[in-house]
Amino acid sequence: MLTISAEPLDSVDARQLIGELDDELNSLYPPEDNFTELPTADAFLIARYGHEPVGCGALRFIDATTGEIKRMYVVPTARGRGVGRRVLEQLETFARDRGAHRLVLETGPQQRAAIALYERAGFVSTPCWGEYAHGNNSLCLEKPLHV
């Protein structure tokens, strides 16, 4: 059974999953196109099958009504089983419950499964902002939330 719970960014399982995500991103894109910094998060979720961590995702507010989805990752052996969808749904609920009217995120063109997940969840293309505006491999997406 899949469970999802909030955990600190510096927990052992969080560091493990984030490290695996960083390794994957570094294999896909040059260092200047990886935006892996996340010093704080308003929510960080870990998905588990039993005691085994299999996925994660974070949300940080970038202004009073906009939440940014960060650090979405599912271990390769658990992909295709709805883990990412469930983490994304819980992050969206968290954002909506705290007054967000919009979610945004940045991903890359080689992450086709992630892009498909976000599009199925209602995200659409938007101009990149901030540091992402200068990334050669940044795709930015947004989703309005009806609160």
Side-chain angles (χ1 to χ4, degrees), residues 45-141:
L45 303 180
I46 294 183
R48 288 186 173 77
Y49 280 118
H51 296 291
E52 186 69 26
V54 295
C56 63
L59 175 96
R60 70 175 176 179
F61 277 88
I62 57 176
D63 64 38
T65 60
T66 305
E68 180 182 13
I69 301 294
K70 297 281 291 179
R71 312 311 285 162
M72 287 288 296
Y73 177 70
V74 175
V75 299
T77 57
R79 292 179 183 168
R81 297 167 62 186
V83 174
R85 177 183 52 79
R86 294 265 315 274
V87 169
L88 185 60
E89 288 170 353
Q90 287 201 16
L91 290 171
E92 182 177 327
T93 297
F94 179 90
R96 184 181 285 113
D97 289 349
R98 280 149 188 83
H101 294 210
R102 179 173 80 121
L103 289 177
V104 295
L105 62 86
E106 182 269 350
T107 191
Q110 296 203 43
Q111 292 160 272
R112 291 179 193 93
I115 294 166
L117 166 71
Y118 300 136
E119 288 175 344
R120 283 190 308 272
F123 284 81
V124 296
S125 182
T126 192
C128 288
W129 69 95
E131 64 185 345
Y132 310 131
H134 307 291
N136 293 320
N137 286 293
S138 288
L139 298 175
C140 294
L141 305 171

